[in-house]
């Protein structure tokens, strides 16, 4: 009854076919008030979002981050990448993250949550740590997006180390940064969907088991 499920290792994942990521045609950069309002209109029609943030890396000992610098939210069809240095985008992002009744699913969200509270001044609602769900379902190791995609889809999720450590505070984000950020959120949504977690949003009192 206490069988713990194993997750594939790096070598096994490297042999899998690639996970199909969102292309630029399905990624929207949100950098002004008009784009933020349009994003809000689309996102609030969904019952869940894949969710992640990115912050400019810190390299000096004791240096504090003032991130997150971007917030990415995704549905099954599209991802939106909010630049938080823009006041209008920051205000809409805060409103979205404070909404109840919509799951915000992702991996390793403890730090993201703390930074959002500090940056946006709100307590995010509906945060769903997918690693916790995998633990509840019998997986013994911590589960990140790469492991989850391998387990659920038998595919390899590609992440660029160069993009991961890039400057997310830049006013102009590169195409590589947009693809990296958007797909972290998109993959989280796909994992949420595959785990069959929709009932936890529509019927909070019901068990998902």
């Amino acid at each position: 009854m206490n069988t713990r499920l194993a997750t594939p290792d790096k070598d096994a994942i490297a042999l899998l076919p690639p996970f199909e990521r969102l292309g630029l045609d399905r990624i929207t950069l949100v950098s002004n008030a008009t784009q933020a309002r349009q994003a809000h209109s689309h996102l609030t029609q969904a019952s869940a979002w894949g969710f992640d943030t990115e912050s400019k890396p810190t390299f000096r000992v004791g240096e504090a981050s003032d991130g997150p610098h971007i917030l990415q939210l995704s549905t099954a069809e599209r991802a939106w990448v909010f630049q938080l240095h823009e006041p209008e985008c920051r205000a809409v992002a805060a409103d979205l993250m404070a909404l109840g009744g919509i799951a915000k699913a992702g991996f390793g969200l403890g730090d993201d949550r703390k930074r959002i509270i500090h940056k946006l001044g709100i307590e995010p609602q509906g945060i769903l740590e997918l690693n916790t769900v995998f633990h509840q379902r019998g997986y013994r190791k911590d589960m990140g997006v790469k492991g989850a995609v391998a387990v659920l889809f038998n595919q390899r999720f590609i992440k660029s180390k160069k993009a991961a450590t890039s400057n997310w505070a830049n006013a102009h984000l590169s195409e590589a940064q947009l693809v990296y950020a958007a797909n972290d959120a998109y993959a989280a949504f796909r994992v949420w969907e595959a785990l069959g977690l929709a009932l936890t949003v529509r019927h909070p009192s019901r068990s998902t088991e």
Side-chain angles (χ1 to χ4, degrees), residues 104-131:
K104 291 91 170 170
F107 294 91
L109 299 180
D111 189 52
D112 297 84
R113 176 182 169 276
K114 292 175 184 176
R115 291 187 179 193
I116 283 174
I117 292 171
H118 182 262
K119 183 91 168 191
L120 301 182
I122 55 94
E123 174 69 51
Q125 301 297 311
I127 297 295
L128 178 60
E129 175 54 66
L130 293 170
N131 181 41

PDB file of all heavy atoms in Angstrom, residues 104-131:
ATOM      1  N   LYS A 104      -3.857  28.362  -9.900  1.00  0.00           N
ATOM      2  CA  LYS A 104      -2.595  28.815 -10.488  1.00  0.00           C
ATOM      3  C   LYS A 104      -1.573  27.717 -10.219  1.00  0.00           C
ATOM      4  O   LYS A 104      -1.017  27.627  -9.128  1.00  0.00           O
ATOM      5  CB  LYS A 104      -2.122  30.136  -9.887  1.00  0.00           C
ATOM      6  CG  LYS A 104      -3.001  31.344 -10.255  1.00  0.00           C
ATOM      7  CD  LYS A 104      -4.092  31.564  -9.245  1.00  0.00           C
ATOM      8  CE  LYS A 104      -4.809  32.902  -9.488  1.00  0.00           C
ATOM      9  NZ  LYS A 104      -6.035  33.011  -8.657  1.00  0.00           N
ATOM     10  N   ALA A 105      -1.347  26.872 -11.209  1.00  0.00           N
ATOM     11  CA  ALA A 105      -0.580  25.644 -11.015  1.00  0.00           C
ATOM     12  C   ALA A 105       0.848  25.788 -11.504  1.00  0.00           C
ATOM     13  O   ALA A 105       1.101  26.353 -12.574  1.00  0.00           O
ATOM     14  CB  ALA A 105      -1.259  24.488 -11.754  1.00  0.00           C
ATOM     15  N   GLY A 106       1.772  25.254 -10.709  1.00  0.00           N
ATOM     16  CA  GLY A 106       3.169  25.302 -11.109  1.00  0.00           C
ATOM     17  C   GLY A 106       4.037  24.477 -10.189  1.00  0.00           C
ATOM     18  O   GLY A 106       3.537  23.746  -9.327  1.00  0.00           O
ATOM     19  N   PHE A 107       5.346  24.598 -10.374  1.00  0.00           N
ATOM     20  CA  PHE A 107       6.322  23.832  -9.601  1.00  0.00           C
ATOM     21  C   PHE A 107       7.227  24.769  -8.816  1.00  0.00           C
ATOM     22  O   PHE A 107       7.648  25.812  -9.324  1.00  0.00           O
ATOM     23  CB  PHE A 107       7.177  22.980 -10.541  1.00  0.00           C
ATOM     24  CG  PHE A 107       6.417  21.898 -11.242  1.00  0.00           C
ATOM     25  CD1 PHE A 107       5.842  22.125 -12.486  1.00  0.00           C
ATOM     26  CD2 PHE A 107       6.273  20.651 -10.663  1.00  0.00           C
ATOM     27  CE1 PHE A 107       5.141  21.130 -13.146  1.00  0.00           C
ATOM     28  CE2 PHE A 107       5.564  19.641 -11.314  1.00  0.00           C
ATOM     29  CZ  PHE A 107       5.007  19.883 -12.555  1.00  0.00           C
ATOM     30  N   GLY A 108       7.538  24.382  -7.579  1.00  0.00           N
ATOM     31  CA  GLY A 108       8.465  25.166  -6.771  1.00  0.00           C
ATOM     32  C   GLY A 108       7.990  26.585  -6.537  1.00  0.00           C
ATOM     33  O   GLY A 108       8.749  27.549  -6.697  1.00  0.00           O
ATOM     34  N   LEU A 109       6.740  26.722  -6.138  1.00  0.00           N
ATOM     35  CA  LEU A 109       6.099  28.035  -6.084  1.00  0.00           C
ATOM     36  C   LEU A 109       6.283  28.774  -4.765  1.00  0.00           C
ATOM     37  O   LEU A 109       5.811  29.902  -4.632  1.00  0.00           O
ATOM     38  CB  LEU A 109       4.598  27.893  -6.379  1.00  0.00           C
ATOM     39  CG  LEU A 109       4.248  27.331  -7.764  1.00  0.00           C
ATOM     40  CD1 LEU A 109       2.741  27.232  -7.922  1.00  0.00           C
ATOM     41  CD2 LEU A 109       4.842  28.196  -8.879  1.00  0.00           C
ATOM     42  N   GLY A 110       6.957  28.172  -3.803  1.00  0.00           N
ATOM     43  CA  GLY A 110       7.119  28.837  -2.510  1.00  0.00           C
ATOM     44  C   GLY A 110       7.809  30.175  -2.631  1.00  0.00           C
ATOM     45  O   GLY A 110       7.350  31.191  -2.084  1.00  0.00           O
ATOM     46  N   ASP A 111       8.915  30.219  -3.367  1.00  0.00           N
ATOM     47  CA  ASP A 111       9.652  31.463  -3.543  1.00  0.00           C
ATOM     48  C   ASP A 111       8.875  32.443  -4.407  1.00  0.00           C
ATOM     49  O   ASP A 111       8.855  33.648  -4.145  1.00  0.00           O
ATOM     50  CB  ASP A 111      11.024  31.186  -4.165  1.00  0.00           C
ATOM     51  CG  ASP A 111      11.925  32.414  -4.160  1.00  0.00           C
ATOM     52  OD1 ASP A 111      12.087  33.024  -3.088  1.00  0.00           O
ATOM     53  OD2 ASP A 111      12.448  32.767  -5.231  1.00  0.00           O
ATOM     54  N   ASP A 112       8.206  31.913  -5.439  1.00  0.00           N
ATOM     55  CA  ASP A 112       7.390  32.774  -6.309  1.00  0.00           C
ATOM     56  C   ASP A 112       6.310  33.488  -5.495  1.00  0.00           C
ATOM     57  O   ASP A 112       6.073  34.684  -5.678  1.00  0.00           O
ATOM     58  CB  ASP A 112       6.730  31.946  -7.413  1.00  0.00           C
ATOM     59  CG  ASP A 112       7.728  31.289  -8.334  1.00  0.00           C
ATOM     60  OD1 ASP A 112       8.215  30.199  -7.990  1.00  0.00           O
ATOM     61  OD2 ASP A 112       8.023  31.855  -9.390  1.00  0.00           O
ATOM     62  N   ARG A 113       5.667  32.732  -4.610  1.00  0.00           N
ATOM     63  CA  ARG A 113       4.593  33.310  -3.795  1.00  0.00           C
ATOM     64  C   ARG A 113       5.130  34.440  -2.926  1.00  0.00           C
ATOM     65  O   ARG A 113       4.533  35.518  -2.841  1.00  0.00           O
ATOM     66  CB  ARG A 113       3.958  32.223  -2.925  1.00  0.00           C
ATOM     67  CG  ARG A 113       2.888  32.734  -1.973  1.00  0.00           C
ATOM     68  CD  ARG A 113       2.336  31.608  -1.106  1.00  0.00           C
ATOM     69  NE  ARG A 113       1.518  32.150  -0.032  1.00  0.00           N
ATOM     70  CZ  ARG A 113       2.004  32.598   1.118  1.00  0.00           C
ATOM     71  NH1 ARG A 113       3.321  32.556   1.342  1.00  0.00           N
ATOM     72  NH2 ARG A 113       1.200  33.082   2.041  1.00  0.00           N
ATOM     73  N   LYS A 114       6.253  34.210  -2.256  1.00  0.00           N
ATOM     74  CA  LYS A 114       6.829  35.242  -1.386  1.00  0.00           C
ATOM     75  C   LYS A 114       7.183  36.493  -2.170  1.00  0.00           C
ATOM     76  O   LYS A 114       6.933  37.624  -1.722  1.00  0.00           O
ATOM     77  CB  LYS A 114       8.077  34.699  -0.688  1.00  0.00           C
ATOM     78  CG  LYS A 114       7.795  33.614   0.333  1.00  0.00           C
ATOM     79  CD  LYS A 114       9.095  33.050   0.898  1.00  0.00           C
ATOM     80  CE  LYS A 114       8.839  31.888   1.841  1.00  0.00           C
ATOM     81  NZ  LYS A 114      10.107  31.290   2.318  1.00  0.00           N
ATOM     82  N   ARG A 115       7.750  36.309  -3.340  1.00  0.00           N
ATOM     83  CA  ARG A 115       8.152  37.467  -4.152  1.00  0.00           C
ATOM     84  C   ARG A 115       6.938  38.231  -4.674  1.00  0.00           C
ATOM     85  O   ARG A 115       6.965  39.454  -4.780  1.00  0.00           O
ATOM     86  CB  ARG A 115       9.044  37.006  -5.307  1.00  0.00           C
ATOM     87  CG  ARG A 115      10.408  36.518  -4.846  1.00  0.00           C
ATOM     88  CD  ARG A 115      11.321  36.219  -6.009  1.00  0.00           C
ATOM     89  NE  ARG A 115      12.631  35.769  -5.564  1.00  0.00           N
ATOM     90  CZ  ARG A 115      13.696  35.672  -6.349  1.00  0.00           C
ATOM     91  NH1 ARG A 115      13.600  35.990  -7.625  1.00  0.00           N
ATOM     92  NH2 ARG A 115      14.851  35.256  -5.870  1.00  0.00           N
ATOM     93  N   ILE A 116       5.877  37.499  -5.016  1.00  0.00           N
ATOM     94  CA  ILE A 116       4.662  38.165  -5.490  1.00  0.00           C
ATOM     95  C   ILE A 116       4.048  39.003  -4.376  1.00  0.00           C
ATOM     96  O   ILE A 116       3.599  40.132  -4.603  1.00  0.00           O
ATOM     97  CB  ILE A 116       3.663  37.117  -6.033  1.00  0.00           C
ATOM     98  CG1 ILE A 116       4.119  36.673  -7.418  1.00  0.00           C
ATOM     99  CG2 ILE A 116       2.243  37.683  -6.084  1.00  0.00           C
ATOM    100  CD1 ILE A 116       3.300  35.555  -7.997  1.00  0.00           C
ATOM    101  N   ILE A 117       4.002  38.456  -3.169  1.00  0.00           N
ATOM    102  CA  ILE A 117       3.476  39.223  -2.037  1.00  0.00           C
ATOM    103  C   ILE A 117       4.261  40.518  -1.864  1.00  0.00           C
ATOM    104  O   ILE A 117       3.683  41.594  -1.679  1.00  0.00           O
ATOM    105  CB  ILE A 117       3.529  38.379  -0.747  1.00  0.00           C
ATOM    106  CG1 ILE A 117       2.528  37.211  -0.826  1.00  0.00           C
ATOM    107  CG2 ILE A 117       3.235  39.234   0.481  1.00  0.00           C
ATOM    108  CD1 ILE A 117       2.666  36.205   0.296  1.00  0.00           C
ATOM    109  N   HIS A 118       5.575  40.423  -1.959  1.00  0.00           N
ATOM    110  CA  HIS A 118       6.426  41.597  -1.770  1.00  0.00           C
ATOM    111  C   HIS A 118       6.309  42.575  -2.932  1.00  0.00           C
ATOM    112  O   HIS A 118       6.237  43.790  -2.740  1.00  0.00           O
ATOM    113  CB  HIS A 118       7.886  41.154  -1.608  1.00  0.00           C
ATOM    114  CG  HIS A 118       8.836  42.272  -1.353  1.00  0.00           C
ATOM    115  ND1 HIS A 118       9.602  42.855  -2.354  1.00  0.00           N
ATOM    116  CD2 HIS A 118       9.146  42.941  -0.209  1.00  0.00           C
ATOM    117  CE1 HIS A 118      10.337  43.821  -1.837  1.00  0.00           C
ATOM    118  NE2 HIS A 118      10.083  43.897  -0.542  1.00  0.00           N
ATOM    119  N   LYS A 119       6.278  42.042  -4.162  1.00  0.00           N
ATOM    120  CA  LYS A 119       6.301  42.895  -5.356  1.00  0.00           C
ATOM    121  C   LYS A 119       4.928  43.500  -5.666  1.00  0.00           C
ATOM    122  O   LYS A 119       4.817  44.673  -6.003  1.00  0.00           O
ATOM    123  CB  LYS A 119       6.771  42.077  -6.556  1.00  0.00           C
ATOM    124  CG  LYS A 119       6.914  42.866  -7.856  1.00  0.00           C
ATOM    125  CD  LYS A 119       8.297  43.413  -7.999  1.00  0.00           C
ATOM    126  CE  LYS A 119       8.536  43.954  -9.403  1.00  0.00           C
ATOM    127  NZ  LYS A 119       9.956  44.246  -9.621  1.00  0.00           N
ATOM    128  N   LEU A 120       3.876  42.677  -5.553  1.00  0.00           N
ATOM    129  CA  LEU A 120       2.545  43.117  -5.984  1.00  0.00           C
ATOM    130  C   LEU A 120       1.654  43.533  -4.822  1.00  0.00           C
ATOM    131  O   LEU A 120       0.585  44.104  -5.039  1.00  0.00           O
ATOM    132  CB  LEU A 120       1.865  42.002  -6.781  1.00  0.00           C
ATOM    133  CG  LEU A 120       2.601  41.520  -8.039  1.00  0.00           C
ATOM    134  CD1 LEU A 120       1.783  40.456  -8.755  1.00  0.00           C
ATOM    135  CD2 LEU A 120       2.913  42.685  -8.974  1.00  0.00           C
ATOM    136  N   GLY A 121       2.071  43.226  -3.606  1.00  0.00           N
ATOM    137  CA  GLY A 121       1.305  43.663  -2.444  1.00  0.00           C
ATOM    138  C   GLY A 121      -0.004  42.934  -2.239  1.00  0.00           C
ATOM    139  O   GLY A 121      -0.922  43.456  -1.605  1.00  0.00           O
ATOM    140  N   ILE A 122      -0.096  41.722  -2.772  1.00  0.00           N
ATOM    141  CA  ILE A 122      -1.327  40.929  -2.610  1.00  0.00           C
ATOM    142  C   ILE A 122      -0.953  39.523  -2.174  1.00  0.00           C
ATOM    143  O   ILE A 122       0.175  39.069  -2.383  1.00  0.00           O
ATOM    144  CB  ILE A 122      -2.164  40.886  -3.913  1.00  0.00           C
ATOM    145  CG1 ILE A 122      -1.327  40.360  -5.096  1.00  0.00           C
ATOM    146  CG2 ILE A 122      -2.740  42.253  -4.233  1.00  0.00           C
ATOM    147  CD1 ILE A 122      -1.436  38.900  -5.365  1.00  0.00           C
ATOM    148  N   GLU A 123      -1.924  38.830  -1.586  1.00  0.00           N
ATOM    149  CA  GLU A 123      -1.762  37.416  -1.251  1.00  0.00           C
ATOM    150  C   GLU A 123      -2.351  36.610  -2.398  1.00  0.00           C
ATOM    151  O   GLU A 123      -3.557  36.639  -2.635  1.00  0.00           O
ATOM    152  CB  GLU A 123      -2.492  37.084   0.053  1.00  0.00           C
ATOM    153  CG  GLU A 123      -2.493  35.607   0.415  1.00  0.00           C
ATOM    154  CD  GLU A 123      -1.128  35.084   0.797  1.00  0.00           C
ATOM    155  OE1 GLU A 123      -0.476  35.716   1.660  1.00  0.00           O
ATOM    156  OE2 GLU A 123      -0.711  34.057   0.229  1.00  0.00           O
ATOM    157  N   PRO A 124      -1.515  35.913  -3.164  1.00  0.00           N
ATOM    158  CA  PRO A 124      -2.056  35.152  -4.296  1.00  0.00           C
ATOM    159  C   PRO A 124      -3.012  34.064  -3.843  1.00  0.00           C
ATOM    160  O   PRO A 124      -2.774  33.405  -2.824  1.00  0.00           O
ATOM    161  CB  PRO A 124      -0.802  34.573  -4.965  1.00  0.00           C
ATOM    162  CG  PRO A 124       0.279  34.656  -3.951  1.00  0.00           C
ATOM    163  CD  PRO A 124      -0.060  35.792  -3.043  1.00  0.00           C
ATOM    164  N   GLN A 125      -4.083  33.896  -4.590  1.00  0.00           N
ATOM    165  CA  GLN A 125      -5.116  32.912  -4.270  1.00  0.00           C
ATOM    166  C   GLN A 125      -5.049  31.745  -5.249  1.00  0.00           C
ATOM    167  O   GLN A 125      -4.709  31.908  -6.414  1.00  0.00           O
ATOM    168  CB  GLN A 125      -6.501  33.556  -4.346  1.00  0.00           C
ATOM    169  CG  GLN A 125      -6.687  34.742  -3.419  1.00  0.00           C
ATOM    170  CD  GLN A 125      -6.564  34.349  -1.951  1.00  0.00           C
ATOM    171  OE1 GLN A 125      -7.182  33.384  -1.509  1.00  0.00           O
ATOM    172  NE2 GLN A 125      -5.759  35.103  -1.208  1.00  0.00           N
ATOM    173  N   GLY A 126      -5.402  30.555  -4.763  1.00  0.00           N
ATOM    174  CA  GLY A 126      -5.506  29.401  -5.646  1.00  0.00           C
ATOM    175  C   GLY A 126      -4.185  28.813  -6.094  1.00  0.00           C
ATOM    176  O   GLY A 126      -4.136  28.084  -7.099  1.00  0.00           O
ATOM    177  N   ILE A 127      -3.096  29.095  -5.375  1.00  0.00           N
ATOM    178  CA  ILE A 127      -1.800  28.547  -5.743  1.00  0.00           C
ATOM    179  C   ILE A 127      -1.820  27.025  -5.565  1.00  0.00           C
ATOM    180  O   ILE A 127      -2.181  26.523  -4.504  1.00  0.00           O
ATOM    181  CB  ILE A 127      -0.673  29.162  -4.884  1.00  0.00           C
ATOM    182  CG1 ILE A 127      -0.577  30.668  -5.132  1.00  0.00           C
ATOM    183  CG2 ILE A 127       0.653  28.483  -5.166  1.00  0.00           C
ATOM    184  CD1 ILE A 127      -0.163  31.044  -6.536  1.00  0.00           C
ATOM    185  N   LEU A 128      -1.433  26.300  -6.592  1.00  0.00           N
ATOM    186  CA  LEU A 128      -1.429  24.842  -6.549  1.00  0.00           C
ATOM    187  C   LEU A 128      -0.032  24.334  -6.874  1.00  0.00           C
ATOM    188  O   LEU A 128       0.423  24.406  -8.020  1.00  0.00           O
ATOM    189  CB  LEU A 128      -2.438  24.275  -7.550  1.00  0.00           C
ATOM    190  CG  LEU A 128      -2.508  22.748  -7.641  1.00  0.00           C
ATOM    191  CD1 LEU A 128      -2.901  22.130  -6.304  1.00  0.00           C
ATOM    192  CD2 LEU A 128      -3.485  22.324  -8.730  1.00  0.00           C
ATOM    193  N   GLU A 129       0.658  23.842  -5.849  1.00  0.00           N
ATOM    194  CA  GLU A 129       1.998  23.293  -6.015  1.00  0.00           C
ATOM    195  C   GLU A 129       1.883  21.867  -6.558  1.00  0.00           C
ATOM    196  O   GLU A 129       1.455  20.947  -5.858  1.00  0.00           O
ATOM    197  CB  GLU A 129       2.730  23.309  -4.667  1.00  0.00           C
ATOM    198  CG  GLU A 129       4.085  22.648  -4.673  1.00  0.00           C
ATOM    199  CD  GLU A 129       5.013  23.191  -5.729  1.00  0.00           C
ATOM    200  OE1 GLU A 129       5.397  24.388  -5.633  1.00  0.00           O
ATOM    201  OE2 GLU A 129       5.354  22.434  -6.654  1.00  0.00           O
ATOM    202  N   LEU A 130       2.263  21.689  -7.817  1.00  0.00           N
ATOM    203  CA  LEU A 130       2.092  20.394  -8.461  1.00  0.00           C
ATOM    204  C   LEU A 130       3.016  19.332  -7.870  1.00  0.00           C
ATOM    205  O   LEU A 130       2.679  18.137  -7.876  1.00  0.00           O
ATOM    206  CB  LEU A 130       2.329  20.530  -9.964  1.00  0.00           C
ATOM    207  CG  LEU A 130       1.270  21.377 -10.699  1.00  0.00           C
ATOM    208  CD1 LEU A 130       1.712  21.650 -12.128  1.00  0.00           C
ATOM    209  CD2 LEU A 130      -0.089  20.685 -10.680  1.00  0.00           C
ATOM    210  N   ASN A 131       4.158  19.718  -7.362  1.00  0.00           N
ATOM    211  CA  ASN A 131       5.051  18.760  -6.708  1.00  0.00           C
ATOM    212  C   ASN A 131       4.342  18.071  -5.540  1.00  0.00           C
ATOM    213  O   ASN A 131       4.499  16.862  -5.322  1.00  0.00           O
ATOM    214  CB  ASN A 131       6.322  19.468  -6.222  1.00  0.00           C
ATOM    215  CG  ASN A 131       7.294  18.529  -5.554  1.00  0.00           C
ATOM    216  OD1 ASN A 131       7.508  17.408  -5.998  1.00  0.00           O
ATOM    217  ND2 ASN A 131       7.882  18.972  -4.454  1.00  0.00           N
TER     218      ASN A 131
END
